[in-house]
Amino acid sequence: MTTRGRAGGGATLMADSIAEEFTSYYDRPILKPPVWRELHIGGYLYLGGLAGASSALAAGGELTGRPSLARATKLAALAGITLSLAALVADLGRPARFVNMLRVVKPSSPMNMGSWLLAAYAPLAGVSALTDLTGRFPLVGRVAGYGAAVLGPAVSTYTAVLIGDTAVPAWHQGHREMPFLFAGSAMATAAGAALIATPAAENAPARRAAVLGAALELAAGRLMRRRLGMVAEAYERGRPGTLTRAGELLSLAGALTALAADGRPGRGRALAVVSGAALMAASVCVRFGVFSAGVASSQDPRYTVVPQRARLSTPPS
């Protein structure tokens, strides 16, 4: 293995040296790969991000007098959290398994805290969207909408903490940057949905959120892979690598198109739709890329053993 020039020169050289001598018992994996189904849990990761960030964007539309933006993002939040919960329950197998997680409160468990977070957020998102659609109980709807906006950032990012708390190398060793990657991805996809569904006269906040979200997503992803050392290979090879590169290209294209749509009353609407579609597709690629990289890293024992041996062999600074 060649030196990759990633995080920490001494530690990287040590890891490369250990990797060259590495052998495993019949090349068998050390970790059991995640048993989660990719479509369900990849969708769960993506849709939760869409929902949480959409609620925050909806509150901004409400506060700045943009009713079309507020309504579109409230509906996106409701659709996102509904489908996200459906994907989660489908993977669990029975709805009762989700309910059982609410029988205790365990702050040390990201899964338990995430279950309570979803149980609090989903009704707020639902009330906010339905009262806006019906025009009834507007005060209740506004209070629910602001409550969903407060919980939205946590809904968008808690799954990063959840997977980072596992032993899967590509997830656990990227736990510092993963929440920022998920936050940027969520912001970009929520902005993308708003750009598609909102008239050009009201989508200025969505354009700004699109650029900011894409920039955060790109920067956090690059920083995470740089710090991962050899484990970054899991994000750069095979199917995860294809998804990661596609996500980066689509994010960049979506952000640039959002910028190009600004101040173009004639072509702005078409550009906004193209930008929104690119940003949403980018976020799908990012979430499924993270999932598949985790599975790949758990199947190769090098990614578990070599970094551990390098840490043990590196003298404390």
Side-chain angles (χ1 to χ4, degrees):
M1 179 177 293
T2 58
T3 302
R4 298 170 61 84
R6 297 183 185 272
T12 302
L13 291 172
M14 181 68 69
D16 288 341
S17 175
I18 294 171
E20 290 173 0
E21 303 171 359
F22 173 75
T23 58
S24 175
Y25 184 73
Y26 290 107
D27 291 324
R28 293 176 63 86
I30 291 173
L31 299 176
K32 292 182 68 175
V35 297
W36 300 328
R37 284 166 284 187
E38 182 178 23
L39 180 62
H40 293 161
I41 298 306
Y44 165 65
L45 298 178
Y46 168 72
L47 292 163
L50 169 65
S54 291
S55 287
L57 198 53
E62 192 91 54
L63 289 170
T64 57
R66 292 178 167 89
S68 295
L69 174 63
R71 174 170 291 185
T73 45
K74 287 175 185 178
L75 292 174
L78 177 57
I81 197 61
T82 301
L83 294 173
S84 178
L85 287 171
L88 176 60
V89 170
D91 194 77
L92 290 173
R94 296 198 307 269
R97 289 176 175 166
F98 176 81
V99 177
N100 286 340
M101 288 189 281
L102 303 178
R103 296 171 65 184
V104 297
V105 177
K106 191 175 181 181
S108 61
S109 168
M111 182 174 291
N112 180 253
M113 290 292 96
S115 300
W116 280 106
L117 178 62
L118 293 177
Y121 170 81
L124 293 174
V127 169
S128 174
L130 293 176
T131 54
D132 191 285
L133 277 176
T134 62
R136 303 188 66 182
F137 310 109
L139 179 58
V140 173
R142 282 196 294 272
V143 171
Y146 294 140
V150 170
L151 297 178
V155 172
S156 297
T157 56
Y158 93 91
T159 48
V161 180
L162 177 65
I163 64 175
D165 198 44
T166 67
V168 175
W171 296 344
H172 180 71
Q173 294 185 43
H175 71 277
R176 295 178 186 173
E177 295 83 11
M178 194 77 74
F180 296 97
L181 174 64
F182 276 31
S185 171
M187 190 185 308
T189 198
L195 287 170
I196 292 172
T198 306
E202 293 190 17
N203 69 12
R207 291 197 303 270
R208 290 191 288 270
V211 175
L212 180 59
L216 179 58
E217 177 188 301
L218 290 167
R222 288 296 180 100
L223 180 60
M224 181 181 74
R225 295 194 298 277
R226 179 175 179 80
R227 199 179 63 81
L228 281 175
M230 66 169 290
V231 180
E233 294 170 359
Y235 287 95
E236 297 169 349
R237 296 178 176 178
R239 184 167 178 272
T242 300
L243 289 169
T244 298
R245 289 187 292 273
E248 289 187 332
L249 290 173
L250 287 165
S251 288
L252 184 59
L256 292 176
T257 309
L259 287 173
D262 191 13
R264 292 178 179 245
R267 298 167 53 196
R269 179 68 186 136
L271 289 172
V273 171
V274 171
S275 171
L279 291 167
M280 295 185 76
S283 186
V284 170
C285 290
V286 167
R287 303 299 176 115
F288 278 84
V290 167
F291 181 88
S292 57
V295 174
S297 72
S298 68
Q299 293 171 335
D300 190 333
R302 292 181 310 131
Y303 297 138
T304 301
V305 174
V306 172
Q308 289 179 349
R309 290 181 180 174
R311 287 193 294 268
L312 290 173
S313 303
T314 303
S317 55

